[in-house]
Coordinates of all heavy atoms in Angstrom, one line a residue:
L7 N 67.2 60.3 35.0 CA 68.0 59.9 33.8 C 67.4 60.5 32.5 O 66.2 60.5 32.4 CB 68.2 58.4 33.6 CG 69.0 57.7 34.7 CD1 68.9 56.2 34.4 CD2 70.4 58.1 34.7
E8 N 68.2 60.9 31.6 CA 67.7 61.3 30.3 C 67.3 60.1 29.6 O 67.8 58.9 29.8 CB 68.8 62.1 29.5 CG 69.1 63.4 30.1 CD 70.2 64.1 29.3 OE1 70.5 63.7 28.1 OE2 70.7 65.1 29.8
R9 N 66.5 60.2 28.5 CA 66.0 59.1 27.7 C 67.2 58.3 27.2 O 67.1 57.0 27.2 CB 65.1 59.6 26.6 CG 64.5 58.5 25.8 CD 63.7 59.1 24.6 NE 63.0 58.1 23.9 CZ 63.6 57.3 23.0 NH1 64.8 57.4 22.7 NH2 62.8 56.4 22.3
A10 N 68.2 59.0 26.6 CA 69.3 58.2 26.0 C 70.1 57.4 27.0 O 70.5 56.3 26.8 CB 70.2 59.2 25.3
E11 N 70.3 58.0 28.2 CA 71.0 57.2 29.3 C 70.2 56.0 29.7 O 70.7 54.9 29.9 CB 71.2 58.2 30.5 CG 72.2 59.3 30.2 CD 72.3 60.3 31.3 OE1 71.2 60.5 31.9 OE2 73.3 60.9 31.5
W12 N 68.9 56.2 29.8 CA 68.0 55.1 30.2 C 68.1 54.0 29.2 O 68.2 52.8 29.5 CB 66.6 55.6 30.4 CG 65.6 54.5 30.8 CD1 65.4 54.0 32.1 CD2 64.8 53.7 29.9 NE1 64.5 53.0 32.0 CE2 64.1 52.8 30.7 CE3 64.6 53.7 28.6 CZ2 63.2 51.9 30.2 CZ3 63.7 52.8 28.0 CH2 63.0 51.9 28.8
L13 N 68.0 54.4 27.9 CA 68.1 53.4 26.8 C 69.4 52.6 26.8 O 69.4 51.4 26.7 CB 67.8 54.1 25.5 CG 67.9 53.2 24.3 CD1 66.8 52.1 24.3 CD2 67.7 54.0 23.0
R14 N 70.5 53.3 27.0 CA 71.8 52.7 27.1 C 71.9 51.7 28.2 O 72.4 50.6 28.1 CB 72.9 53.7 27.2 CG 73.2 54.4 25.9 CD 74.5 55.2 25.9 NE 74.4 56.4 26.7 CZ 73.9 57.6 26.2 NH1 73.5 57.7 25.0 NH2 73.9 58.6 27.0
L15 N 71.3 52.0 29.4 CA 71.3 51.1 30.5 C 70.5 49.9 30.2 O 70.9 48.7 30.5 CB 70.8 51.8 31.8 CG 71.7 52.8 32.4 CD1 71.0 53.5 33.5 CD2 73.0 52.1 33.0
Q16 N 69.3 50.1 29.6 CA 68.5 49.0 29.2 C 69.2 48.0 28.2 O 69.1 46.8 28.4 CB 67.2 49.5 28.6 CG 66.2 50.1 29.6 CD 65.8 49.2 30.7 OE1 66.2 49.2 31.8 NE2 64.8 48.3 30.3
L17 N 69.8 48.6 27.2 CA 70.5 47.8 26.2 C 71.7 47.1 26.8 O 72.0 45.9 26.5 CB 71.0 48.7 25.0 CG 69.9 49.1 24.0 CD1 70.5 50.1 23.0 CD2 69.3 47.9 23.4
A18 N 72.4 47.7 27.7 CA 73.5 47.1 28.4 C 73.0 45.8 29.2 O 73.7 44.8 29.1 CB 74.2 48.0 29.4
G19 N 71.9 46.0 29.8 CA 71.3 44.8 30.5 C 70.9 43.7 29.6 O 71.2 42.5 29.9
E20 N 70.4 44.1 28.5 CA 70.0 43.1 27.5 C 71.2 42.4 26.9 O 71.2 41.2 26.6 CB 69.1 43.7 26.4 CG 67.8 44.1 26.8 CD 67.0 42.9 27.3 OE1 67.1 41.8 26.8 OE2 66.2 43.1 28.3
L21 N 72.3 43.2 26.7 CA 73.5 42.6 26.1 C 74.1 41.5 27.0 O 74.6 40.5 26.6 CB 74.6 43.7 25.9 CG 74.4 44.5 24.6 CD1 75.3 45.7 24.6 CD2 74.6 43.6 23.4
V22 N 73.9 41.7 28.3 CA 74.4 40.7 29.3 C 73.5 39.5 29.3 O 74.0 38.4 29.4 CB 74.4 41.4 30.7 CG1 74.7 40.3 31.8 CG2 75.5 42.5 30.8
R23 N 72.2 39.7 29.2 CA 71.3 38.6 29.4 C 70.8 38.0 28.1 O 70.4 36.8 28.1 CB 70.2 39.2 30.3 CG 68.9 38.5 30.2 CD 67.7 39.3 30.8 NE 66.9 39.9 29.8 CZ 66.3 39.1 28.8 NH1 66.4 37.8 28.8 NH2 65.5 39.7 28.0
A24 N 70.7 38.7 27.0 CA 70.0 38.2 25.8 C 70.7 37.0 25.2 O 71.9 36.8 25.3 CB 70.0 39.3 24.8
G25 N 69.8 36.2 24.6 CA 70.3 35.0 24.0 C 69.4 34.7 22.8 O 68.6 35.5 22.4
E26 N 69.6 33.5 22.3 CA 68.8 33.0 21.2 C 67.3 33.1 21.5 O 66.9 32.8 22.7 CB 69.1 31.6 20.8 CG 70.5 31.5 20.2 CD 70.9 30.1 19.7 OE1 69.9 29.4 19.3 OE2 72.0 29.8 19.7
R27 N 66.5 33.4 20.5 CA 65.0 33.5 20.6 C 64.5 34.6 21.4 O 63.3 34.7 21.6 CB 64.5 32.2 21.1 CG 64.8 31.0 20.2 CD 64.2 29.7 20.8 NE 64.4 28.7 19.8 CZ 63.5 27.8 19.4 NH1 62.3 27.9 19.9 NH2 63.7 26.9 18.6
D28 N 65.3 35.5 21.9 CA 64.8 36.7 22.6 C 64.3 37.7 21.6 O 65.0 37.9 20.5 CB 65.9 37.3 23.5 CG 66.0 36.6 24.8 OD1 65.2 35.8 25.2 OD2 67.1 36.8 25.5
L29 N 63.3 38.4 21.9 CA 62.8 39.5 21.0 C 62.9 40.8 21.8 O 62.3 40.9 22.9 CB 61.3 39.3 20.6 CG 60.6 40.4 19.9 CD1 61.3 40.7 18.5 CD2 59.1 40.1 19.7
I30 N 63.7 41.7 21.3 CA 63.8 43.0 21.9 C 63.1 44.1 21.0 O 63.5 44.2 19.8 CB 65.3 43.4 22.1 CG1 65.9 42.4 23.1 CG2 65.5 44.8 22.6 CD1 67.0 41.6 22.6
V31 N 62.2 44.8 21.5 CA 61.4 45.8 20.8 C 61.8 47.2 21.3 O 61.7 47.4 22.5 CB 59.9 45.6 21.0 CG1 59.1 46.6 20.2 CG2 59.5 44.1 20.6
L32 N 62.2 48.0 20.3 CA 62.6 49.4 20.7 C 61.7 50.4 19.9 O 61.6 50.3 18.7 CB 64.1 49.6 20.2 CG 65.1 48.6 20.9 CD1 66.4 48.8 20.2 CD2 65.2 48.9 22.3
D33 N 61.2 51.3 20.6 CA 60.3 52.3 20.0 C 61.0 53.6 19.9 O 61.4 54.3 20.9 CB 59.0 52.5 20.9 CG 58.1 53.5 20.3 OD1 58.1 53.7 19.1 OD2 57.3 54.1 21.1
M34 N 61.3 54.0 18.7 CA 62.1 55.3 18.3 C 63.4 55.4 19.1 O 63.6 56.4 19.8 CB 61.2 56.5 18.6 CG 59.9 56.5 17.8 SD 60.2 56.6 16.0 CE 60.6 58.3 15.9
P35 N 64.3 54.4 19.1 CA 65.5 54.4 19.9 C 66.4 55.5 19.4 O 67.2 56.0 20.3 CB 66.1 53.1 19.6 CG 65.6 52.6 18.3 CD 64.2 53.2 18.2
A36 N 66.4 56.0 18.2 CA 67.3 57.0 17.8 C 66.7 58.4 17.8 O 67.4 59.4 17.4 CB 67.8 56.7 16.3
S37 N 65.5 58.6 18.3 CA 64.9 59.9 18.3 C 65.7 60.9 19.1 O 65.9 60.7 20.3 CB 63.5 59.7 18.9 OG 62.8 61.0 18.9
G38 N 66.1 62.0 18.4 CA 66.8 63.1 19.1 C 68.2 62.8 19.5 O 68.8 63.6 20.2
E39 N 68.7 61.7 19.1 CA 70.1 61.3 19.5 C 71.1 61.9 18.5 O 70.9 62.1 17.4 CB 70.3 59.8 19.4 CG 69.4 59.0 20.4 CD 69.6 59.4 21.8 OE1 70.7 59.6 22.2 OE2 68.6 59.5 22.6
H40 N 72.3 62.2 19.1 CA 73.5 62.6 18.3 C 74.0 61.5 17.4 O 73.8 60.3 17.8 CB 74.6 63.0 19.3 CG 75.8 63.7 18.7 ND1 76.8 62.9 18.1 CD2 76.1 65.0 18.5 CE1 77.7 63.7 17.6 NE2 77.3 65.0 17.8
P41 N 74.5 61.8 16.2 CA 74.9 60.8 15.3 C 75.9 59.8 16.0 O 75.9 58.6 15.7 CB 75.6 61.5 14.2 CG 74.9 62.9 14.2 CD 74.6 63.2 15.6
F42 N 76.8 60.2 16.9 CA 77.7 59.3 17.6 C 76.9 58.3 18.4 O 77.2 57.1 18.5 CB 78.7 60.1 18.4 CG 79.6 59.2 19.2 CD1 80.6 58.5 18.6 CD2 79.4 59.0 20.6 CE1 81.5 57.7 19.3 CE2 80.2 58.1 21.3 CZ 81.2 57.5 20.7
E43 N 75.9 58.8 19.1 CA 75.0 57.9 19.9 C 74.3 56.9 19.1 O 74.0 55.8 19.5 CB 74.1 58.8 20.8 CG 74.9 59.5 21.8 CD 74.0 60.5 22.6 OE1 73.0 60.9 22.0 OE2 74.4 60.9 23.7
V44 N 73.8 57.4 17.9 CA 73.1 56.5 17.0 C 74.0 55.3 16.5 O 73.6 54.2 16.5 CB 72.5 57.2 15.8 CG1 71.9 56.2 14.8 CG2 71.5 58.2 16.2
A45 N 75.3 55.7 16.2 CA 76.3 54.7 15.9 C 76.5 53.6 17.0 O 76.5 52.4 16.8 CB 77.6 55.3 15.5
S46 N 76.6 54.1 18.2 CA 76.7 53.2 19.4 C 75.5 52.4 19.6 O 75.6 51.2 19.9 CB 77.0 54.1 20.6 OG 78.2 54.7 20.6
L47 N 74.3 52.9 19.4 CA 73.1 52.2 19.4 C 73.1 51.1 18.4 O 72.7 49.9 18.7 CB 71.9 53.1 19.2 CG 70.5 52.5 19.0 CD1 70.1 51.8 20.3 CD2 69.5 53.5 18.6
M48 N 73.5 51.4 17.2 CA 73.5 50.4 16.1 C 74.5 49.3 16.4 O 74.2 48.1 16.2 CB 73.8 51.0 14.8 CG 72.7 51.9 14.3 SD 73.0 52.9 12.8 CE 73.8 51.8 11.7
E49 N 75.6 49.6 17.0 CA 76.6 48.6 17.5 C 75.9 47.6 18.5 O 76.1 46.4 18.5 CB 77.8 49.2 18.0 CG 78.7 49.9 17.0 CD 79.9 50.6 17.6 OE1 80.3 50.3 18.7 OE2 80.4 51.5 16.9
A50 N 75.2 48.2 19.5 CA 74.6 47.4 20.5 C 73.5 46.5 19.9 O 73.4 45.3 20.3 CB 74.0 48.3 21.6
M51 N 72.7 47.1 19.0 CA 71.7 46.3 18.4 C 72.3 45.1 17.6 O 71.8 44.0 17.6 CB 70.8 47.2 17.5 CG 70.0 48.2 18.3 SD 69.2 49.5 17.3 CE 68.2 48.6 16.2
R52 N 73.4 45.4 16.8 CA 74.0 44.3 16.1 C 74.6 43.3 17.0 O 74.5 42.1 16.7 CB 75.2 45.0 15.2 CG 75.9 44.0 14.3 CD 75.1 43.2 13.3 NE 74.3 44.1 12.5 CZ 73.3 43.7 11.7 NH1 72.9 42.5 11.7 NH2 72.7 44.6 11.0
A53 N 75.1 43.7 18.1 CA 75.7 42.7 19.1 C 74.5 41.8 19.6 O 74.7 40.6 19.8 CB 76.3 43.4 20.3
L54 N 73.4 42.3 19.8 CA 72.2 41.5 20.3 C 71.9 40.5 19.2 O 71.6 39.3 19.5 CB 71.0 42.4 20.6 CG 71.1 43.2 21.8 CD1 70.1 44.3 21.9 CD2 71.0 42.3 23.1
V55 N 71.8 40.9 17.9 CA 71.5 40.1 16.8 C 72.6 38.9 16.7 O 72.2 37.8 16.5 CB 71.4 40.8 15.5 CG1 71.3 39.9 14.3 CG2 70.2 41.8 15.6
E56 N 73.8 39.3 16.9 CA 74.9 38.3 16.8 C 74.8 37.3 17.9 O 75.2 36.1 17.7 CB 76.3 39.0 16.8 CG 76.6 39.7 15.6 CD 77.9 40.6 15.6 OE1 78.5 40.6 16.7 OE2 78.2 41.2 14.6
R57 N 74.2 37.6 19.0 CA 74.0 36.7 20.1 C 72.7 35.8 19.9 O 72.4 35.0 20.7 CB 73.9 37.4 21.4 CG 75.2 38.0 21.8 CD 75.2 38.6 23.1 NE 75.2 37.5 24.1 CZ 75.3 37.7 25.4 NH1 75.3 38.9 25.9 NH2 75.2 36.7 26.2
G58 N 72.0 36.1 18.8 CA 70.8 35.3 18.5 C 69.5 35.9 18.7 O 68.5 35.3 18.5
A59 N 69.5 37.1 19.3 CA 68.2 37.8 19.6 C 67.7 38.4 18.3 O 68.4 38.7 17.3 CB 68.5 38.9 20.6
T60 N 66.4 38.7 18.3 CA 65.8 39.4 17.2 C 65.5 40.8 17.8 O 64.9 41.0 18.8 CB 64.4 38.8 16.8 OG1 64.7 37.4 16.3 CG2 63.7 39.5 15.7
V61 N 65.9 41.8 17.0 CA 65.7 43.2 17.4 C 64.7 43.9 16.4 O 64.9 43.9 15.2 CB 67.0 44.0 17.4 CG1 66.7 45.5 17.8 CG2 68.0 43.4 18.4
L62 N 63.6 44.4 17.0 CA 62.6 45.1 16.2 C 62.6 46.5 16.7 O 62.4 46.8 17.8 CB 61.2 44.5 16.5 CG 60.1 45.2 15.8 CD1 60.0 44.7 14.3 CD2 58.8 44.9 16.5
A63 N 62.9 47.4 15.8 CA 63.0 48.9 16.1 C 62.0 49.6 15.2 O 62.1 49.6 14.0 CB 64.4 49.4 15.9
A64 N 61.1 50.3 15.9 CA 60.2 51.2 15.2 C 60.9 52.6 15.1 O 60.9 53.3 16.1 CB 58.9 51.3 15.9
D65 N 61.4 53.0 14.0 CA 62.1 54.3 13.9 C 62.2 54.7 12.4 O 62.0 53.8 11.5 CB 63.5 54.1 14.4 CG 64.1 55.4 15.0 OD1 63.9 56.4 14.3 OD2 64.7 55.4 16.0
N66 N 62.4 55.9 12.2 CA 62.5 56.4 10.8 C 63.9 57.1 10.6 O 64.1 57.8 9.6 CB 61.4 57.4 10.5 CG 61.4 58.6 11.4 OD1 62.2 58.7 12.3 ND2 60.4 59.5 11.1
H67 N 64.8 56.8 11.4 CA 66.2 57.3 11.3 C 66.9 56.7 10.1 O 66.9 55.5 10.0 CB 67.0 57.1 12.6 CG 68.3 57.9 12.6 ND1 69.4 57.5 11.9 CD2 68.6 59.0 13.3 CE1 70.3 58.4 12.1 NE2 69.9 59.3 13.0
P68 N 67.4 57.5 9.2 CA 68.0 56.9 7.9 C 69.1 55.9 8.2 O 69.2 54.9 7.5 CB 68.6 58.2 7.2 CG 67.9 59.3 7.8 CD 67.5 58.9 9.2
A69 N 69.9 56.1 9.2 CA 71.0 55.1 9.4 C 70.4 53.8 9.9 O 70.9 52.7 9.5 CB 72.0 55.7 10.5
L70 N 69.4 53.8 10.7 CA 68.8 52.6 11.2 C 68.1 51.8 10.1 O 68.2 50.6 10.0 CB 67.8 52.8 12.4 CG 68.5 53.2 13.7 CD1 67.4 53.4 14.7 CD2 69.5 52.2 14.2
T71 N 67.4 52.6 9.3 CA 66.6 51.9 8.2 C 67.6 51.3 7.2 O 67.4 50.3 6.6 CB 65.6 52.8 7.5 OG1 66.3 54.0 7.0 CG2 64.5 53.2 8.5
A72 N 68.7 52.0 6.9 CA 69.7 51.5 6.0 C 70.4 50.3 6.5 O 70.8 49.4 5.7 CB 70.8 52.6 5.7
A73 N 70.6 50.1 7.8 CA 71.3 49.0 8.4 C 70.3 47.8 8.6 O 70.8 46.7 9.0 CB 72.0 49.4 9.7
A74 N 69.1 48.0 8.5 CA 68.1 46.9 8.8 C 68.2 45.7 7.9 O 68.5 45.8 6.7 CB 66.7 47.5 8.7
D75 N 68.1 44.5 8.5 CA 68.1 43.3 7.7 C 66.8 43.2 6.9 O 66.7 42.6 5.9 CB 68.3 42.1 8.6 CG 69.6 42.0 9.2 OD1 70.6 42.6 8.6 OD2 69.8 41.4 10.3
C76 N 65.7 43.7 7.5 CA 64.4 43.6 6.9 C 63.7 44.9 7.3 O 63.8 45.4 8.4 CB 63.6 42.4 7.5 SG 61.9 42.3 6.8
L77 N 63.0 45.5 6.3 CA 62.3 46.8 6.6 C 60.8 46.7 6.3 O 60.5 46.2 5.2 CB 63.0 47.9 5.7 CG 62.5 49.3 5.8 CD1 62.8 49.8 7.2 CD2 63.2 50.2 4.8
V78 N 60.0 47.1 7.2 CA 58.6 47.1 7.0 C 58.2 48.6 7.1 O 58.4 49.3 8.1 CB 57.8 46.3 8.1 CG1 56.3 46.5 7.9 CG2 58.2 44.9 8.1
E79 N 57.6 49.1 6.0 CA 57.2 50.5 5.9 C 55.7 50.6 6.2 O 54.9 50.0 5.6 CB 57.5 51.1 4.6 CG 59.0 51.1 4.3 CD 59.3 51.8 2.9 OE1 59.0 53.0 2.8 OE2 59.8 51.0 2.0
A80 N 55.4 51.5 7.2 CA 54.0 51.7 7.6 C 53.6 53.0 7.1 O 54.3 54.0 7.2 CB 53.9 51.6 9.1
F81 N 52.4 53.1 6.6 CA 51.8 54.3 6.0 C 50.6 54.7 6.8 O 50.6 54.6 8.1 CB 51.5 54.1 4.5 CG 52.7 53.8 3.7 CD1 53.0 52.5 3.4 CD2 53.7 54.7 3.4 CE1 54.1 52.1 2.7 CE2 54.8 54.4 2.7 CZ 55.0 53.1 2.3
A82 N 49.5 55.0 6.2 CA 48.3 55.3 6.9 C 47.7 54.0 7.6 O 48.2 52.9 7.3 CB 47.2 55.8 5.9
V83 N 46.7 54.2 8.4 CA 46.2 53.1 9.1 C 45.8 52.0 8.1 O 45.1 52.2 7.2 CB 44.9 53.5 9.9 CG1 44.3 52.3 10.6 CG2 45.4 54.5 11.0
G84 N 46.2 50.8 8.4 CA 45.9 49.6 7.5 C 46.8 49.5 6.3 O 46.6 48.5 5.6
E85 N 47.7 50.4 6.1 CA 48.6 50.2 4.9 C 50.0 49.9 5.4 O 50.5 50.6 6.2 CB 48.6 51.5 4.1 CG 47.3 51.9 3.5 CD 47.4 53.2 2.7 OE1 48.4 53.5 2.1 OE2 46.5 54.0 2.8
W86 N 50.6 49.0 4.7 CA 52.0 48.7 5.0 C 52.6 47.9 3.8 O 51.9 47.3 3.0 CB 52.2 47.9 6.3 CG 51.5 46.6 6.3 CD1 50.2 46.3 6.6 CD2 52.1 45.3 6.0 NE1 49.9 45.0 6.5 CE2 51.1 44.3 6.1 CE3 53.3 44.9 5.6 CZ2 51.3 43.0 5.9 CZ3 53.6 43.6 5.4 CH2 52.5 42.6 5.5
K87 N 53.9 47.8 3.7 CA 54.5 47.0 2.7 C 55.9 46.5 3.3 O 56.5 47.1 4.1 CB 54.7 47.7 1.4 CG 55.8 48.8 1.4 CD 56.0 49.4 0.0 CE 57.1 50.4 0.0 NZ 57.3 51.0 -1.3
L88 N 56.2 45.3 2.8 CA 57.5 44.7 3.2 C 58.5 45.1 2.1 O 58.3 44.7 1.0 CB 57.3 43.2 3.3 CG 58.5 42.4 3.8 CD1 58.9 42.8 5.3 CD2 58.2 40.9 3.8
A89 N 59.5 45.8 2.5 CA 60.5 46.2 1.6 C 61.7 45.3 1.5 O 62.1 44.6 2.5 CB 61.0 47.7 1.9

């Protein structure tokens, strides 16, 4: 499976099972994805949040950072700020 297909399968499984107090951590989920796929990813992430889960995504994709409820910017080792 390609990375995007694997991620979609994982998210589909989480959408079925996720509930309140679950923490889902995604590392660069939008990396190399087509804009349409990023939009679908964002819809899936929002659905998880609506079910009560917390989604933490480490990514620098402009659409994901713009849609974030909370943004933590990391810089050099030991430097960060809450935006």
